[in-house]
Amino acid sequence: MRKVDPEKHAARRRQIVAAAVLCFARKGFHRTSTAEICAEAGMSPGNLFHYFASKQAIIAAIVDQEGLETAAYFEEARQAEDLFGQVLGFMDLVAELAADPTYARLALDISAEAMRDEEVAARVARNDAALRGHLREILAAAAERGQIDGSLDLDGAATWIAALVDGIFARVAVDPAFRPTGEKPMLRLLLSRFLRSGGPG
Amino acid sequence: MRKVDPEKHAARRRQIVAAAVLCFARKGFHRTSTAEICAEAGMSPGNLFHYFASKQAIIAAIVDQEGLETAAYFEEARQAEDLFGQVLGFMDLVAELAADPTYARLALDISAEAMRDEEVAARVARNDAALRGHLREILAAAAERGQIDGSLDLDGAATWIAALVDGIFARVAVDPAFRPTGEKPMLRLLLSRFLRSGGPG
């Protein structure tokens, strides 16, 4: 048996994931074959299975990668002075990702796959719980600094911000005229009013 | 050829749709066979195709029915004095539907199917455009009566309310702890602040 170099192995996995993302964006997850992913990655089909057991395993890796990127984003966001601004900045970033057809297609494919595949569903749910945790934490710190309404139920607020993230991608899927980046000002207005209005509305 | 009684034909179609909804809720759209729908409706499989050309045609009928129900809801809502209250009431209703596992499953299946089937997608998009039209209209009348902020961009507001509707169903799919009806107060707070706050936030 060949010895496996862990760094080379990880680099090859990243290369396969990148190739898979391109293929999924073109044809969707279900209509993409592992042979097409191998061709895109420039490797022989028999070789793929040293890195991923199945197409599902590739999508699982994509979901996990996304979780790591979200965690890294909030790790940095926490260092800022204006934490409310970081929440707005996060939603701007979500709007930009939703405006990228490759990313939007992939996000919607992953949601659909989560309805069919329990392992993908578990990973998506784990990322979602982590996202709500990040949001709750940054909102709590923002409330402590007086940047948002301190009387707000923060679990509820984090949940509804997550619902807005879902909603942006759903809009892209259903409304061909929806332009996520063009909607940034309205989204900022909504979040500002929701998180900062003093009274009970 | 038999003569078709249009009323009997329509009644039979409704019966098949009701049976299909039950089957889809149990097993999902894709894993339900037309034979199972016929068994649930108490009819012979060969008979189904007098009423629907395919399983897709049944789901199309479900989507169309939903569009009619939404139109009827807003037709009545428009008669009220407190139109802002009607918008809140509509979102309460959405939360109740999302809390019904049969309905939520069906709604998510329809969204997934719209990604695979252009005809379903066209119908879903038509319903969505109609919903945003209804929302825009009721918001405009509410603004005229001073019930909501008159300076708000109403197309944008309708779009984001639609995004919240999508978001509620997405939350049900991804977060097992999400209770749509328990979230009603927070949703009302969000909408009140978004639609009624005076200043620019």
Side-chain angles (χ1 to χ4, degrees):
Chain A
M1 201 180 150
R2 270 192 317 182
K3 266 181 112 178
V4 174
D5 176 336
E7 278 191 28
K8 270 194 187 164
H9 190 81
R12 202 78 176 114
R13 275 177 61 100
R14 282 194 299 273
Q15 191 187 349
I16 294 165
V17 164
V21 166
L22 287 174
C23 293
F24 296 159
R26 276 199 295 264
K27 298 180 68 178
F29 176 67
H30 266 272
R31 276 180 291 178
T32 298
S33 66
T34 50
E36 287 166 306
I37 296 169
C38 293
E40 181 70 42
M43 68 194 295
S44 70
N47 219 353
L48 178 74
F49 297 97
H50 293 296
Y51 301 94
F52 291 100
S54 65
K55 204 166 61 166
Q56 258 75 10
I58 301 177
I59 217 160
I62 293 172
V63 175
D64 288 351
Q65 181 56 36
E66 177 147 313
L68 292 175
E69 284 164 14
T70 303
Y73 180 90
F74 280 98
E75 180 66 39
E76 199 183 314
R78 269 197 291 276
Q79 318 300 324
E81 178 47 41
D82 177 8
L83 296 175
F84 171 68
Q86 292 294 315
V87 173
L88 297 184
F90 176 70
M91 295 305 274
D92 280 352
L93 179 64
V94 169
E96 281 153 28
L97 289 172
D100 172 350
T102 301
Y103 189 94
R105 171 80 190 248
L106 189 61
L108 292 164
D109 263 4
I110 289 171
S111 298
E113 192 58 22
M115 286 187 65
R116 282 184 294 257
D117 182 308
E118 278 188 23
E119 209 184 303
V120 173
R123 285 181 144 87
V124 167
R126 188 170 62 192
N127 278 4
D128 178 66
L131 171 63
R132 283 181 286 116
H134 296 312
L135 286 168
R136 198 207 174 286
E137 191 182 20
I138 205 163
L139 290 173
E144 215 158 273
R145 295 182 194 176
Q147 295 169 355
I148 66 165
D149 172 15
S151 74
L152 211 53
D153 162 33
L154 298 181
D155 280 321
T159 292
W160 284 100
I161 294 174
L164 285 166
V165 172
D166 302 329
I168 293 170
F169 285 97
R171 289 290 90 205
V172 170
V174 80
D175 177 6
F178 182 76
R179 295 282 169 271
T181 49
E183 290 287 338
K184 279 185 193 177
M186 197 64 175
L187 181 53
R188 284 182 165 245
L189 178 72
L190 190 165
L191 288 169
S192 296
R193 289 183 171 190
F194 175 40
L195 298 174
R196 280 153 82 100
S197 294
Chain B
M1 200 181 149
R2 269 191 321 182
K3 265 181 109 175
V4 175
D5 176 336
E7 280 192 25
K8 271 193 188 163
H9 190 81
R12 202 81 175 112
R13 276 177 60 101
R14 282 194 298 273
Q15 192 187 350
I16 295 165
V17 164
V21 166
L22 288 175
C23 294
F24 296 159
R26 277 198 296 263
K27 298 180 67 178
F29 177 66
H30 267 271
R31 277 180 291 179
T32 298
S33 66
T34 51
E36 287 167 307
I37 296 169
C38 293
E40 181 71 42
M43 68 193 297
S44 69
N47 218 352
L48 178 73
F49 298 96
H50 294 294
Y51 301 94
F52 291 100
S54 64
K55 205 166 62 164
Q56 258 76 10
I58 301 177
I59 218 159
I62 294 172
V63 176
D64 288 351
Q65 181 57 33
E66 178 149 311
L68 292 174
E69 284 165 14
T70 303
Y73 180 92
F74 281 98
E75 179 66 38
E76 200 183 313
R78 270 196 290 276
Q79 318 299 322
E81 178 47 43
D82 178 8
L83 296 175
F84 171 67
Q86 292 294 316
V87 173
L88 296 183
F90 175 70
M91 295 305 274
D92 280 351
L93 180 64
V94 169
E96 281 153 29
L97 290 171
D100 173 349
T102 301
Y103 189 93
R105 171 81 190 246
L106 189 62
L108 291 164
D109 263 4
I110 288 170
S111 298
E113 193 58 22
M115 286 186 66
R116 282 185 293 258
D117 182 307
E118 278 186 24
E119 208 183 305
V120 173
R123 285 182 144 88
V124 167
R126 187 169 63 193
N127 279 4
D128 178 66
L131 171 62
R132 282 180 285 116
H134 296 312
L135 286 169
R136 198 208 175 286
E137 191 182 22
I138 206 163
L139 290 173
E144 213 158 274
R145 294 181 195 177
Q147 295 169 353
I148 65 165
D149 172 14
S151 74
L152 213 53
D153 163 34
L154 298 180
D155 280 321
T159 291
W160 284 101
I161 295 174
L164 285 166
V165 173
D166 302 329
I168 294 170
F169 285 97
R171 289 290 90 203
V172 170
V174 81
D175 177 6
F178 183 77
R179 294 283 168 274
T181 49
E183 291 287 337
K184 279 185 194 177
M186 196 66 175
L187 181 54
R188 282 180 168 246
L189 178 72
L190 191 164
L191 288 169
S192 296
R193 289 183 170 188
F194 176 39
L195 298 173
R196 281 152 83 100
S197 294

